[in-house]
């Protein structure tokens, strides 16, 4: 619904900027349940946000010229125009609410690996929705922001608030779960996976094993880290081409050998993470993986944004 633009509650001028943090997500477990009539797939799993983040600086063009939204980043190859998901989020926010600027600049300091299964692009888009909603007092609640996010991508609704949640439907049906506090080491192998190709591979496969999603939900609710680690499982690992599957197993083994309680690929890869019993163990694990030449980062799980 389009409404009259509410007056801005802040005193933004053309020179001012809005700052927002965009957190990565990991999939503690992930199942693909069915192919839907529109070509998308039903998914089911537990998602978790972590303090591994991109930093956004949004500078609205309040002069309302017609330059549109532009995106600048430390990563050369991400789109700089309105095909970038963050710019699309800003456009969608304006067209939906009538609030906020029609054009501006979004600077993204990217740390979350692009196409890594950590929801980097989705998280940037969700951060734009959150920031514009707050600064331009549009008054959208969390559920409304999630519904807007759904129009941008399947992971965007979760990234609006993050935390720990059961995700169903195409990923947009979210049930918040109790906070799971733990330390992880996130790794980025030096190859990317194609999400549509992995979904297509799954369509052709007979899945041998599926994740224990109810067991994972229970383990999270009980704060049972060992139980969570035992149930880390991602059906996309089975759909990977052989060479990539082997590369993922090498990193998972390295994580386990370095003290992780369990390790798994996140989303459609190629990112992999391990769960560690405490901060010291995660720091030591991260050091060991770096010594083996693996690109990795220490990250702690985060609570949902209120
Ligand atoms: O929603 P998102 O843009 O992240 O999806 C990327 C691609 O992944 C889609 O174009 C679709 O091919 C596939 N996908 C799917 N089912 C989902 C989510 C994504 O088939 N639930």
């Amino acid at each position: 619904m389009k409404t009259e633009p509410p007056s801005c509650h802040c005193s933004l001028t053309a020179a001012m900027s809005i700052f927002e943090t965009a957190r990565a997500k990991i999939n503690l477990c992930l199942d693909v349940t069915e192919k839907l009539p529109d070509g998308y797939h039903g998914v089911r799993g537990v998602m978790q946000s972590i303090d591994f983040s991109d930093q956004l600086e949004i500078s609205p063009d309040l002069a309302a010229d017609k330059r549109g939204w532009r995106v600048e980043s430390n990563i050369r190859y991400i789109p700089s125009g309105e095909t970038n998901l963050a710019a699309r989020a800003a456009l969608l926010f304006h067209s939906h609410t009538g609030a906020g600027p029609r054009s501006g600049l979004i600077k993204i300091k990217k740390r979350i690996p692009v196409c890594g299964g950590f929801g980097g692009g989705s998280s940037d888009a969700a951060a734009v929705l959150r920031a514009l909603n707050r600064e331009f007092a549009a008054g959208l609640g969390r559920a409304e922001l999630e519904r807007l996010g759904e129009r941008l991508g399947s992971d965007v609704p979760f990234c609006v608030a993050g935390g720990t949640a059961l995700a169903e439907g195409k990923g947009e049906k979210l049930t918040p779960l109790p906070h799971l506090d733990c330390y992880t080491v996130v790794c980025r192998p030096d190859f990317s996976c194609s999400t549509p190709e992995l979904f297509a591979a799954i369509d052709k496969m007979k899945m041998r094993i599926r994740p224990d999603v109810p067991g994972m939900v229970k383990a999270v609710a009980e704060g049972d880290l060992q139980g969570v680690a035992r149930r880390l499982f991602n059906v996309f690992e089975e759909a990977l081409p052989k060479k990539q599957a082997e590369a993922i197993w090498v990193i998972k083994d390295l994580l386990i050998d370095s003290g992780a309680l369990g390790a798994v690929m996140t989303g459609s890869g190629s990112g992999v993470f391990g769960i560690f019993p405490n901060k010291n163990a995660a720091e030591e694990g991260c050091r060991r993986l770096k010594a083996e030449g693996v690109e990795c980062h220490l990250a702690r799980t985060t609570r949902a944004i209120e």
Side-chain angles (χ1 to χ4, degrees):
M1 193 182 72
K2 199 160 178 171
T3 53
E4 278 303 298
S7 59
C8 176
H9 79 299
C10 59
S11 55
L12 276 174
T13 68
M16 288 183 82
S17 294
I18 305 163
F19 294 91
E20 190 73 13
T21 298
R23 294 205 160 110
K25 62 86 180 162
I26 50 177
N27 298 85
L28 299 178
C29 63
L30 179 56
D31 197 5
V32 177
T33 54
E34 62 191 318
K35 186 165 183 186
L36 302 170
D38 63 2
Y40 270 70
H41 294 75
V43 297
R44 195 158 177 251
V46 176
M47 300 176 79
Q48 173 68 59
S49 57
I50 53 176
D51 65 355
F52 180 43
S53 328
D54 292 345
Q55 297 299 332
L56 277 74
E57 180 182 350
I58 306 168
S59 307
D61 260 341
L62 294 185
D65 62 12
K66 295 199 170 58
R67 278 188 296 171
W69 281 93
R70 292 149 288 133
V71 179
E72 279 178 10
S73 164
N74 51 319
I75 306 281
R76 255 183 312 113
Y77 52 84
I78 71 164
S80 57
E82 289 181 351
T83 54
N84 188 297
L85 207 56
R88 284 177 50 206
L91 285 171
L92 179 63
F93 179 81
H94 180 80
S95 66
H96 181 80
T97 61
R102 288 166 199 270
S103 68
L105 174 65
I106 303 171
K107 285 188 189 163
I108 308 178
K109 192 168 172 206
K110 279 210 85 68
R111 281 189 78 216
I112 307 172
V114 177
C115 296
F118 295 107
S122 303
S123 186
D124 293 343
V128 169
L129 294 178
R130 271 198 316 271
L132 294 178
N133 187 47
R134 183 184 63 239
E135 296 300 330
F136 292 91
L140 301 187
R142 173 167 158 181
E144 281 174 284
L145 283 180
E146 288 174 356
R147 293 295 69 81
L148 265 191
E150 201 179 320
R151 290 156 63 176
L152 297 165
S154 311
D155 287 337
V156 181
F158 171 77
C159 293
V160 164
T164 315
L166 171 68
E168 296 171 290
K170 293 177 184 173
E172 83 291 358
K173 286 192 187 131
L174 299 167
T175 309
L177 297 174
H179 174 56
L180 174 76
D181 185 23
C182 74
Y183 287 88
T184 69
V185 173
V186 299
C187 309
R188 172 64 154 101
D190 58 2
F191 60 88
S192 297
C193 304
S194 155
T195 307
E197 279 175 25
L198 284 184
F199 273 111
I202 281 195
D203 291 339
K204 294 190 198 119
M205 283 170 50
K206 182 137 183 66
M207 209 68 73
R208 288 179 297 142
I209 321 170
R210 310 202 88 104
D212 174 12
V213 181
M216 178 63 87
V217 168
K218 189 162 176 281
V220 165
E222 290 170 356
D224 170 13
L225 205 54
Q226 296 275 358
V228 167
R230 263 201 314 278
R231 291 177 178 85
L232 296 174
F233 191 89
N234 182 344
V235 289
F236 282 122
E237 283 186 29
E238 276 211 50
L240 288 169
K242 192 162 176 278
K243 268 206 164 146
Q244 295 187 352
E246 281 167 5
I248 297 296
W249 270 104
V250 168
I251 295 184
K252 284 173 45 166
D253 282 347
L254 276 171
L255 279 160
I256 302 288
D257 290 347
S258 305
L261 299 171
V264 73
M265 187 169 89
T266 178
S268 55
S270 63
V272 177
F273 67 93
I275 284 193
F276 285 76
N278 54 55
K279 188 179 181 189
N280 283 346
E283 281 173 347
E284 176 57 21
C286 200
R287 258 195 301 277
R288 287 210 215 166
L289 277 136
K290 280 185 177 155
E292 294 287 340
V294 178
E295 185 192 327
C296 61
H297 308 267
L298 180 75
R300 189 179 187 176
T301 52
T302 57
R303 289 180 183 277
I305 299 167
E306 291 302 320

